[in-house]
Amino acid sequence: MALIVQKYGGSSAGDAGRIKNIARRAIATKEKGNRVVVVISAMGDTTDELVSLAHQITSQPDEREMDFLLSTGEIVSSTLLAMAVKALGHKAISLSGSQAGIQTDNTHSAARIRAIDPRRITRELDKDNVVVVAGFQGVTEDLDITTLGRGGSDTTAVALAVSLGADMCHIYTDVDGVYTADPRLVPEARKLKEIDYEEMVELATYGFKVMHPRAVEIGQIYSMPIYVASSFNDNAGTVIRGGIPMEVRNKVRGIAHDSNVAKITVLGAADRPGIASAIFEPLAKANVSVDTIVQNASVDGITDLTFTVARDDVPKALKVVEPIAESIAAKGCVVDSDLGKVSIVGTGMQNTPGYAARMFTALSDAGINIELITTSEIRITCIVNRGKVVDAVRALHKAFELDQE
Ligand code: ADP
Ligand code: ASP
Ligand code: MG
Protein backbone atom coordinates (compact mmCIF):
# COMPACT_ATOMS: atom_id res chain seq x y z
CA MET A 1 0.00 0.00 0.00
CA ALA A 2 1.65 3.24 -1.15
CA LEU A 3 1.46 6.49 0.78
CA ILE A 4 0.78 9.50 -1.40
CA VAL A 5 0.98 13.15 -0.40
CA GLN A 6 -1.05 15.38 -2.72
CA LYS A 7 -1.06 19.18 -2.56
CA TYR A 8 -3.75 21.40 -4.08
CA GLY A 9 -3.07 25.14 -4.50
CA GLY A 10 -5.43 28.04 -3.92
CA SER A 11 -6.47 28.27 -7.56
CA SER A 12 -7.60 24.63 -7.41
CA ALA A 13 -9.68 25.32 -4.30
CA GLY A 14 -11.35 28.61 -5.28
CA ASP A 15 -14.94 27.64 -4.47
CA ALA A 16 -17.10 24.85 -3.03
CA GLY A 17 -17.31 23.08 -6.40
CA ARG A 18 -13.52 22.95 -6.67
CA ILE A 19 -13.17 21.67 -3.12
CA LYS A 20 -15.61 18.87 -4.02
CA ASN A 21 -13.45 18.14 -7.08
CA ILE A 22 -10.39 17.78 -4.83
CA ALA A 23 -12.38 15.46 -2.54
CA ARG A 24 -13.28 13.23 -5.51
CA ARG A 25 -9.65 13.11 -6.63
CA ALA A 26 -8.39 12.25 -3.15
CA ILE A 27 -10.99 9.48 -2.85
CA ALA A 28 -10.09 8.09 -6.29
CA THR A 29 -6.44 7.91 -5.16
CA LYS A 30 -7.50 6.12 -1.97
CA GLU A 31 -9.70 3.69 -3.85
CA LYS A 32 -6.65 2.61 -5.85
CA GLY A 33 -5.36 1.21 -2.57
CA ASN A 34 -3.23 4.13 -1.35
CA ARG A 35 -2.99 5.90 1.99
CA VAL A 36 -3.66 9.56 1.19
CA VAL A 37 -2.53 12.80 2.83
CA VAL A 38 -3.84 15.97 1.18
CA VAL A 39 -2.19 19.33 1.80
CA ILE A 40 -4.41 22.23 0.84
CA SER A 41 -3.83 25.99 0.39
CA ALA A 42 -6.28 28.76 1.24
CA MET A 43 -9.20 29.18 -1.17
CA GLY A 44 -8.50 31.42 -4.19
CA ASP A 45 -7.22 34.84 -3.14
CA THR A 46 -8.03 34.40 0.56
CA THR A 47 -4.46 35.03 1.76
CA ASP A 48 -4.23 38.30 -0.24
CA GLU A 49 -7.60 39.36 1.14
CA LEU A 50 -6.50 38.67 4.72
CA VAL A 51 -3.28 40.66 4.16
CA SER A 52 -5.31 43.57 2.83
CA LEU A 53 -7.73 43.39 5.75
CA ALA A 54 -4.86 43.58 8.23
CA HIS A 55 -3.47 46.62 6.42
CA GLN A 56 -6.84 48.31 6.67
CA ILE A 57 -6.48 48.01 10.45
CA THR A 58 -2.85 49.14 10.70
CA SER A 59 0.00 49.89 8.31
CA GLN A 60 2.37 47.74 10.37
CA PRO A 61 0.53 44.66 11.60
CA ASP A 62 2.15 42.74 14.43
CA GLU A 63 3.93 39.79 12.85
CA ARG A 64 2.70 37.19 15.33
CA GLU A 65 -0.92 38.25 14.87
CA MET A 66 -0.41 38.41 11.10
CA ASP A 67 0.76 34.80 10.96
CA PHE A 68 -2.11 33.66 13.14
CA LEU A 69 -4.52 35.54 10.88
CA LEU A 70 -3.07 34.19 7.62
CA SER A 71 -3.07 30.61 8.93
CA THR A 72 -6.86 30.75 9.12
CA GLY A 73 -7.14 30.70 5.31
CA GLU A 74 -5.81 27.15 5.21
CA ILE A 75 -7.93 26.14 8.23
CA VAL A 76 -11.07 27.10 6.30
CA SER A 77 -10.14 25.12 3.18
CA SER A 78 -8.90 22.05 5.06
CA THR A 79 -12.03 21.74 7.19
CA LEU A 80 -14.26 22.16 4.13
CA LEU A 81 -12.28 19.52 2.25
CA ALA A 82 -12.60 17.03 5.11
CA MET A 83 -16.36 17.68 5.12
CA ALA A 84 -16.49 17.15 1.35
CA VAL A 85 -14.70 13.79 1.61
CA LYS A 86 -17.06 12.67 4.39
CA ALA A 87 -20.10 13.81 2.40
CA LEU A 88 -18.97 11.38 -0.30
CA GLY A 89 -19.05 8.55 2.21
CA HIS A 90 -15.35 8.26 3.11
CA LYS A 91 -13.50 8.82 6.35
CA ALA A 92 -11.52 12.04 6.67
CA ILE A 93 -10.03 14.36 9.25
CA SER A 94 -8.52 17.83 8.93
CA LEU A 95 -5.44 18.85 10.90
CA SER A 96 -3.84 22.27 11.35
CA GLY A 97 -0.09 22.44 10.74
CA SER A 98 0.40 22.33 14.49
CA GLN A 99 -1.82 19.25 14.92
CA ALA A 100 0.04 17.62 12.03
CA GLY A 101 3.28 17.97 14.03
CA ILE A 102 4.98 20.65 11.91
CA GLN A 103 7.42 22.44 14.21
CA THR A 104 9.15 25.59 13.00
CA ASP A 105 11.55 28.25 14.17
CA ASN A 106 9.99 31.56 15.21
CA THR A 107 10.73 33.66 12.11
CA HIS A 108 7.21 34.91 11.55
CA SER A 109 6.08 35.08 7.90
CA ALA A 110 9.12 33.10 6.74
CA ALA A 111 9.42 30.29 9.27
CA ARG A 112 11.58 27.26 8.56
CA ILE A 113 10.50 23.76 9.43
CA ARG A 114 12.70 22.39 12.21
CA ALA A 115 11.13 18.99 12.59
CA ILE A 116 7.99 17.07 11.83
CA ASP A 117 6.45 14.64 14.28
CA PRO A 118 4.28 12.52 11.98
CA ARG A 119 2.69 10.34 14.68
CA ARG A 120 -0.73 11.99 14.66
CA ILE A 121 -0.98 11.76 10.85
CA THR A 122 0.08 8.12 10.93
CA ARG A 123 -2.52 7.33 13.62
CA GLU A 124 -5.24 8.92 11.51
CA LEU A 125 -4.10 7.07 8.38
CA ASP A 126 -4.24 3.83 10.38
CA LYS A 127 -7.90 4.63 11.12
CA ASP A 128 -8.48 4.68 7.34
CA ASN A 129 -8.85 8.47 7.11
CA VAL A 130 -7.98 10.70 4.21
CA VAL A 131 -5.83 13.10 6.24
CA VAL A 132 -6.20 16.74 5.19
CA VAL A 133 -3.43 19.03 6.41
CA ALA A 134 -3.63 22.83 6.34
CA GLY A 135 -0.65 24.00 4.26
CA PHE A 136 1.68 26.96 4.79
CA GLN A 137 1.81 26.82 8.60
CA GLY A 138 3.52 25.38 11.60
CA VAL A 139 3.99 26.01 15.28
CA THR A 140 6.92 27.20 17.40
CA GLU A 141 8.19 25.61 20.60
CA ASP A 142 6.09 28.20 22.46
CA LEU A 143 2.99 27.10 20.54
CA ASP A 144 2.74 30.27 18.46
CA ILE A 145 1.46 29.79 14.92
CA THR A 146 3.90 30.61 12.12
CA THR A 147 3.65 30.70 8.33
CA LEU A 148 6.28 29.45 5.90
CA GLY A 149 6.31 32.34 3.40
CA ARG A 150 3.97 32.96 0.45
CA GLY A 151 3.48 29.86 -1.64
CA GLY A 152 4.56 27.80 1.37
CA SER A 153 2.01 25.00 1.05
CA ASP A 154 4.37 23.39 -1.48
CA THR A 155 6.97 23.28 1.30
CA THR A 156 4.49 21.70 3.70
CA ALA A 157 3.68 19.00 1.13
CA VAL A 158 7.24 18.01 0.24
CA ALA A 159 8.38 18.11 3.88
CA LEU A 160 5.46 15.89 4.91
CA ALA A 161 6.15 13.49 2.04
CA VAL A 162 9.75 13.17 3.28
CA SER A 163 8.81 12.75 6.91
CA LEU A 164 6.10 10.16 6.16
CA GLY A 165 8.36 8.23 3.79
CA ALA A 166 5.98 8.75 0.83
CA ASP A 167 6.97 7.42 -2.58
CA MET A 168 6.36 10.72 -4.33
CA CYS A 169 4.88 14.15 -3.64
CA HIS A 170 2.14 15.26 -6.04
CA ILE A 171 1.63 18.99 -6.58
CA TYR A 172 -1.70 19.73 -8.30
CA THR A 173 -2.17 23.21 -9.68
CA ASP A 174 -3.90 25.20 -12.43
CA VAL A 175 -1.38 24.35 -15.17
CA ASP A 176 -0.52 20.92 -16.64
CA GLY A 177 3.06 20.85 -15.36
CA VAL A 178 6.32 22.77 -15.52
CA TYR A 179 6.76 24.58 -18.84
CA THR A 180 9.86 26.09 -20.44
CA ALA A 181 8.43 29.52 -19.48
CA ASP A 182 5.21 30.74 -17.88
CA PRO A 183 2.61 29.38 -20.35
CA ARG A 184 0.40 32.39 -19.60
CA LEU A 185 3.02 34.66 -21.18
CA VAL A 186 4.52 32.41 -23.83
CA PRO A 187 1.90 30.46 -25.79
CA GLU A 188 4.55 28.26 -27.44
CA ALA A 189 6.11 27.27 -24.08
CA ARG A 190 6.65 23.50 -23.95
CA LYS A 191 5.73 21.22 -21.07
CA LEU A 192 8.77 19.40 -19.69
CA LYS A 193 8.40 15.66 -19.01
CA GLU A 194 11.05 15.89 -16.35
CA ILE A 195 13.53 18.34 -14.89
CA ASP A 196 16.45 17.99 -12.51
CA TYR A 197 16.19 19.43 -8.97
CA GLU A 198 19.18 21.69 -9.52
CA GLU A 199 17.63 23.46 -12.50
CA MET A 200 14.19 23.62 -10.89
CA VAL A 201 15.53 25.20 -7.68
CA GLU A 202 17.18 27.93 -9.77
CA LEU A 203 14.12 28.43 -12.01
CA ALA A 204 11.74 28.53 -9.03
CA THR A 205 13.98 31.02 -7.22
CA TYR A 206 14.08 33.27 -10.28
CA GLY A 207 10.37 33.19 -11.06
CA PHE A 208 8.83 29.80 -11.96
CA LYS A 209 5.97 30.41 -9.57
CA VAL A 210 4.52 26.94 -10.11
CA MET A 211 6.73 25.54 -7.30
CA HIS A 212 8.18 27.18 -4.22
CA PRO A 213 12.00 26.99 -4.35
CA ARG A 214 12.32 25.76 -0.77
CA ALA A 215 9.98 22.87 -1.51
CA VAL A 216 12.18 21.82 -4.44
CA GLU A 217 15.27 22.17 -2.24
CA ILE A 218 13.79 19.82 0.35
CA GLY A 219 12.97 17.37 -2.45
CA GLN A 220 16.57 17.59 -3.64
CA ILE A 221 18.12 17.10 -0.20
CA TYR A 222 15.99 14.04 0.57
CA SER A 223 15.69 12.72 -3.01
CA MET A 224 11.90 12.99 -2.95
CA PRO A 225 10.52 12.99 -6.51
CA ILE A 226 7.89 15.67 -7.10
CA TYR A 227 5.17 15.31 -9.72
CA VAL A 228 3.58 18.57 -10.90
CA ALA A 229 0.28 18.28 -12.76
CA SER A 230 -3.15 19.83 -13.21
CA SER A 231 -5.94 19.46 -10.66
CA PHE A 232 -8.49 19.90 -13.47
CA ASN A 233 -7.49 17.06 -15.84
CA ASP A 234 -5.45 13.86 -15.98
CA ASN A 235 -2.87 14.99 -18.54
CA ALA A 236 0.67 13.78 -17.86
CA GLY A 237 2.59 16.35 -15.81
CA THR A 238 6.26 16.96 -15.01
CA VAL A 239 8.52 14.92 -12.72
CA ILE A 240 11.17 16.84 -10.78
CA ARG A 241 13.93 14.45 -9.75
CA GLY A 242 17.67 13.94 -9.62
CA GLY A 243 20.01 12.05 -11.88
CA ILE A 244 18.74 13.16 -15.28
CA PRO A 245 21.50 12.17 -17.74
CA MET A 246 23.88 14.87 -18.93
CA GLU A 247 23.38 14.24 -22.67
CA VAL A 248 19.83 15.52 -22.60
CA ARG A 249 20.79 18.52 -20.51
CA ASN A 250 22.97 20.36 -22.94
CA LYS A 251 20.50 23.20 -23.39
CA VAL A 252 18.87 26.14 -21.73
CA ARG A 253 16.06 24.49 -19.77
CA GLY A 254 13.81 27.47 -19.10
CA ILE A 255 13.29 31.23 -19.07
CA ALA A 256 12.20 32.55 -15.69
CA HIS A 257 10.94 36.03 -14.99
CA ASP A 258 10.01 38.19 -12.03
CA SER A 259 8.32 41.56 -12.41
CA ASN A 260 8.65 42.52 -8.76
CA VAL A 261 12.14 43.98 -8.66
CA ALA A 262 13.55 47.24 -7.27
CA LYS A 263 17.07 48.57 -7.30
CA ILE A 264 18.59 50.58 -4.46
CA THR A 265 21.83 52.52 -4.96
CA VAL A 266 23.89 53.89 -2.09
CA LEU A 267 25.64 56.87 -3.65
CA GLY A 268 29.13 58.06 -2.84
CA ALA A 269 30.09 55.50 -0.20
CA ALA A 270 33.69 55.30 0.99
CA ASP A 271 35.53 52.42 -0.71
CA ARG A 272 37.03 50.76 2.35
CA PRO A 273 36.77 47.40 4.11
CA GLY A 274 33.61 46.91 6.12
CA ILE A 275 31.21 49.06 4.10
CA ALA A 276 29.49 46.15 2.33
CA SER A 277 29.09 44.22 5.54
CA ALA A 278 27.80 47.36 7.31
CA ILE A 279 25.00 47.46 4.74
CA PHE A 280 24.23 43.81 4.02
CA GLU A 281 24.42 42.32 7.49
CA PRO A 282 21.61 44.46 8.91
CA LEU A 283 19.56 43.81 5.76
CA ALA A 284 19.90 40.06 6.30
CA LYS A 285 18.94 40.49 9.96
CA ALA A 286 15.84 42.42 8.87
CA ASN A 287 14.98 39.41 6.67
CA VAL A 288 15.37 41.38 3.42
CA SER A 289 16.63 39.11 0.72
CA VAL A 290 19.15 40.87 -1.53
CA ASP A 291 19.80 39.55 -5.00
CA THR A 292 22.09 41.28 -7.49
CA ILE A 293 24.89 43.35 -5.95
CA VAL A 294 27.11 45.63 -8.03
CA GLN A 295 29.86 47.88 -6.79
CA ASN A 296 31.24 50.43 -9.24
CA ALA A 297 34.98 50.91 -9.64
CA SER A 298 35.89 53.60 -7.15
CA VAL A 299 37.06 57.11 -8.05
CA ASP A 300 39.10 58.93 -5.38
CA GLY A 301 38.14 56.29 -2.81
CA ILE A 302 34.41 56.84 -3.36
CA THR A 303 32.05 54.33 -4.95
CA ASP A 304 28.36 53.58 -5.62
CA LEU A 305 26.88 50.35 -4.35
CA THR A 306 23.78 48.98 -6.07
CA PHE A 307 21.65 46.01 -5.10
CA THR A 308 18.21 44.63 -5.92
CA VAL A 309 15.40 43.54 -3.61
CA ALA A 310 11.78 42.54 -4.14
CA ARG A 311 9.72 45.69 -4.75
CA ASP A 312 7.54 44.95 -1.71
CA ASP A 313 10.67 44.95 0.47
CA VAL A 314 11.75 48.52 -0.49
CA PRO A 315 10.25 50.24 2.59
CA LYS A 316 11.81 47.64 4.91
CA ALA A 317 15.17 47.88 3.09
CA LEU A 318 15.25 51.70 3.15
CA LYS A 319 14.44 51.75 6.85
CA VAL A 320 17.63 49.75 7.37
CA VAL A 321 19.88 51.29 4.71
CA GLU A 322 19.16 55.03 4.99
CA PRO A 323 20.51 55.43 8.53
CA ILE A 324 23.56 53.34 7.59
CA ALA A 325 24.18 55.45 4.48
CA GLU A 326 24.13 58.52 6.72
CA SER A 327 26.44 56.96 9.29
CA ILE A 328 29.07 56.07 6.65
CA ALA A 329 28.80 59.58 5.14
CA ALA A 330 27.39 58.35 1.81
CA LYS A 331 25.65 60.95 -0.35
CA GLY A 332 22.27 59.21 -0.11
CA CYS A 333 20.12 56.43 -1.54
CA VAL A 334 18.18 56.31 -4.82
CA VAL A 335 15.51 53.77 -5.67
CA ASP A 336 14.20 52.50 -9.02
CA SER A 337 11.11 50.40 -8.32
CA ASP A 338 10.10 49.79 -11.89
CA LEU A 339 12.26 46.82 -12.78
CA GLY A 340 11.99 43.12 -13.50
CA LYS A 341 14.40 40.31 -14.18
CA VAL A 342 14.66 37.61 -16.81
CA SER A 343 16.88 34.57 -16.42
CA ILE A 344 18.04 31.73 -18.61
CA VAL A 345 18.78 28.54 -16.69
CA GLY A 346 20.34 25.23 -17.68
CA THR A 347 23.03 22.92 -16.36
CA GLY A 348 24.19 22.60 -19.98
CA MET A 349 25.56 26.16 -19.73
CA GLN A 350 28.29 25.13 -17.29
CA ASN A 351 31.71 25.67 -18.81
CA THR A 352 30.16 26.36 -22.21
CA PRO A 353 30.89 29.77 -23.72
CA GLY A 354 28.46 31.74 -25.85
CA TYR A 355 25.22 31.68 -23.84
CA ALA A 356 25.68 35.16 -22.38
CA ALA A 357 26.44 36.65 -25.78
CA ARG A 358 23.34 34.99 -27.30
CA MET A 359 21.20 36.30 -24.48
CA PHE A 360 22.46 39.89 -24.78
CA THR A 361 22.06 39.83 -28.57
CA ALA A 362 18.48 38.54 -28.33
CA LEU A 363 17.59 41.30 -25.84
CA SER A 364 19.28 43.98 -27.88
CA ASP A 365 17.54 42.79 -31.09
CA ALA A 366 14.25 43.18 -29.21
CA GLY A 367 15.23 46.75 -28.26
CA ILE A 368 15.57 45.92 -24.57
CA ASN A 369 18.12 47.73 -22.43
CA ILE A 370 19.96 45.70 -19.77
CA GLU A 371 20.36 47.50 -16.44
CA LEU A 372 22.34 44.91 -14.49
CA ILE A 373 23.62 41.38 -15.07
CA THR A 374 24.29 38.53 -12.66
CA THR A 375 25.26 34.94 -13.20
CA SER A 376 25.61 31.64 -11.41
CA GLU A 377 27.13 28.47 -12.86
CA ILE A 378 23.82 27.50 -14.42
CA ARG A 379 22.04 30.86 -14.79
CA ILE A 380 22.36 34.28 -16.42
CA THR A 381 20.00 37.00 -15.18
CA CYS A 382 19.40 40.44 -16.70
CA ILE A 383 17.60 43.21 -14.87
CA VAL A 384 15.43 45.17 -17.32
CA ASN A 385 12.66 47.73 -17.25
CA ARG A 386 9.48 46.17 -15.86
CA GLY A 387 7.47 47.06 -18.97
CA LYS A 388 9.91 45.01 -21.08
CA VAL A 389 9.84 41.79 -19.07
CA VAL A 390 7.24 39.98 -21.17
CA ASP A 391 8.94 40.94 -24.45
CA ALA A 392 12.24 39.78 -23.00
CA VAL A 393 10.86 36.36 -21.98
CA ARG A 394 9.34 35.83 -25.43
CA ALA A 395 12.50 36.96 -27.24
CA LEU A 396 14.71 34.63 -25.18
CA HIS A 397 12.33 31.68 -25.52
CA LYS A 398 12.59 32.10 -29.28
CA ALA A 399 16.34 32.75 -29.39
CA PHE A 400 17.12 29.59 -27.42
CA GLU A 401 14.56 27.55 -29.42
CA LEU A 402 12.82 26.28 -26.32
CA ASP A 403 9.67 25.38 -28.23
CA GLN A 404 11.68 22.50 -29.71
CA GLU A 405 12.73 19.40 -27.77
P1 ADP B 1 -1.15 27.22 -6.83
O1 ADP B 1 -2.32 28.07 -6.46
O2 ADP B 1 -1.56 25.87 -7.33
O3 ADP B 1 -0.09 27.14 -5.77
P2 ADP B 1 0.49 29.09 -8.30
O4 ADP B 1 -0.29 30.27 -8.80
O5 ADP B 1 1.35 29.28 -7.11
O6 ADP B 1 -0.54 27.89 -8.11
O7 ADP B 1 1.41 28.49 -9.48
C1 ADP B 1 0.84 28.18 -10.72
C2 ADP B 1 1.14 29.27 -11.72
O8 ADP B 1 2.54 29.32 -11.96
C3 ADP B 1 0.56 29.04 -13.09
O9 ADP B 1 -0.76 29.50 -13.17
C4 ADP B 1 1.52 29.77 -14.01
O10 ADP B 1 1.01 30.99 -14.48
C5 ADP B 1 2.73 30.07 -13.13
N1 ADP B 1 3.99 29.71 -13.77
C6 ADP B 1 5.07 30.53 -13.84
N2 ADP B 1 6.05 29.94 -14.52
C7 ADP B 1 5.60 28.71 -14.88
C8 ADP B 1 6.18 27.64 -15.61
N3 ADP B 1 7.42 27.72 -16.11
N4 ADP B 1 5.45 26.50 -15.80
C9 ADP B 1 4.18 26.42 -15.29
N5 ADP B 1 3.58 27.42 -14.61
C10 ADP B 1 4.28 28.56 -14.40
N1 ASP C 1 -2.06 30.56 0.94
C1 ASP C 1 -0.65 30.85 0.95
C2 ASP C 1 -0.33 31.90 -0.10
O1 ASP C 1 -1.23 32.38 -0.79
C3 ASP C 1 0.20 29.63 0.78
C4 ASP C 1 0.09 28.90 -0.54
O2 ASP C 1 -0.82 29.18 -1.32
O3 ASP C 1 0.94 28.03 -0.79
O4 ASP C 1 0.79 32.28 -0.25
MG1 MG D 1 1.75 28.16 -5.34
Side-chain angles (χ1 to χ4, degrees):
M1 196 184 243
L3 190 152
I4 294 187
V5 175
Q6 307 186 319
K7 176 255 170 179
Y8 293 89
S11 48
S12 305
D15 56 35
R18 289 190 170 177
I19 287 185
K20 289 180 186 171
N21 170 53
I22 297 175
R24 282 191 292 272
R25 292 176 66 103
I27 290 168
T29 310
K30 185 157 182 286
E31 285 184 331
K32 286 185 191 137
N34 301 300
R35 284 149 75 85
V36 182
V37 175
V38 182
V39 174
I40 187 163
S41 294
M43 295 172 70
D45 296 328
T46 303
T47 311
D48 289 334
E49 286 158 13
L50 291 171
V51 171
S52 145
L53 206 52
H55 282 107
Q56 288 170 43
I57 300 284
T58 164
S59 61
Q60 287 185 316
D62 178 89
E63 50 181 20
R64 178 195 178 277
E65 302 307 328
M66 191 68 168
D67 265 4
F68 201 4
L69 172 70
L70 296 193
S71 72
T72 63
E74 271 70 9
I75 303 287
V76 170
S77 53
S78 55
T79 49
L80 291 174
L81 178 57
M83 288 179 202
V85 173
K86 286 185 190 191
L88 291 169
H90 289 258
K91 291 182 74 177
I93 185 166
S94 63
L95 298 174
S96 66
S98 164
Q99 290 172 315
I102 300 172
Q103 294 150 21
T104 72
D105 64 15
N106 49 18
T107 317
H108 283 291
S109 84
R112 296 213 157 228
I113 297 176
R114 278 203 172 140
I116 296 182
D117 176 352
R119 284 176 298 179
R120 176 74 193 270
I121 296 184
T122 307
R123 269 204 315 275
E124 299 302 342
L125 287 170
D126 289 345
K127 289 186 216 156
D128 203 32
N129 279 307
V130 169
V131 180
V132 182
V133 178
F136 175 56
Q137 55 183 271
V139 66
T140 66
E141 241 182 332
D142 296 332
L143 304 182
D144 283 322
I145 303 299
T146 50
T147 64
L148 309 180
R150 297 303 304 270
S153 299
D154 294 337
T155 312
T156 305
V158 180
L160 276 182
V162 169
S163 126
L164 292 163
D167 298 320
M168 201 185 240
C169 181
H170 294 201
I171 302 286
Y172 292 109
T173 183
D174 60 353
V175 277
D176 279 7
V178 179
Y179 284 72
T180 48
D182 188 341
R184 295 187 200 286
L185 299 191
V186 183
E188 57 287 358
R190 187 169 47 83
K191 185 167 56 181
L192 298 164
K193 278 197 197 70
E194 52 184 9
I195 180 166
D196 203 273
Y197 293 119
E198 192 185 357
E199 289 172 329
M200 192 63 200
V201 168
E202 201 82 349
L203 284 162
T205 306
Y206 283 83
F208 271 23
K209 196 183 148 216
V210 63
M211 275 295 295
H212 195 289
R214 267 172 55 204
V216 188
E217 249 165 31
I218 295 172
Q220 179 174 31
I221 292 167
Y222 295 97
S223 299
M224 172 59 63
I226 302 167
Y227 177 66
V228 182
S230 170
S231 63
F232 303 123
N233 61 48
D234 292 323
N235 297 347
T238 304
V239 177
I240 307 170
R241 64 177 181 94
I244 295 175
M246 283 304 284
E247 303 89 81
V248 296
R249 287 202 200 176
N250 193 18
K251 261 198 119 179
V252 169
R253 187 67 56 222
I255 315 288
H257 76 280
D258 176 357
S259 302
N260 179 31
V261 178
K263 167 177 97 172
I264 298 178
T265 303
V266 180
L267 292 167
D271 188 13
R272 59 174 162 78
I275 292 295
S277 77
I279 293 174
F280 294 116
E281 254 184 47
L283 279 172
K285 278 205 184 108
N287 212 4
V288 175
S289 151
V290 173
D291 188 25
T292 313
I293 302 175
V294 180
Q295 185 177 332
N296 289 352
S298 71
V299 178
D300 298 331
I302 298 289
T303 184
D304 295 340
L305 197 79
T306 300
F307 57 93
T308 61
V309 296
R311 183 175 311 107
D312 309 336
D313 277 347
V314 167
K316 210 157 69 169
L318 283 180
K319 210 168 138 195
V320 172
V321 170
E322 278 178 336
I324 299 169
E326 216 178 301
S327 74
I328 60 173
K331 287 201 191 97
C333 299
V334 283
V335 180
D336 181 348
S337 286
D338 209 19
L339 299 172
K341 57 187 165 197
V342 280
S343 305
I344 62 171
V345 171
T347 45
M349 291 181 348
Q350 277 177 97
N351 308 319
T352 315
Y355 284 93
R358 267 170 81 187
M359 180 175 192
F360 304 153
T361 306
L363 291 177
S364 122
D365 287 350
I368 297 166
N369 187 43
I370 302 169
E371 302 255 347
L372 294 170
I373 300 161
T374 54
T375 63
S376 80
E377 280 191 348
I378 64 163
R379 171 185 53 83
I380 306 170
T381 298
C382 294
I383 309 287
V384 301
N385 186 284
R386 180 148 76 124
K388 294 286 186 188
V389 168
V390 175
D391 288 350
V393 176
R394 289 182 181 151
L396 293 171
H397 199 271
K398 200 161 178 203
F400 288 98
E401 299 172 336
L402 291 191
D403 53 329
Q404 289 156 42
E405 199 143 352

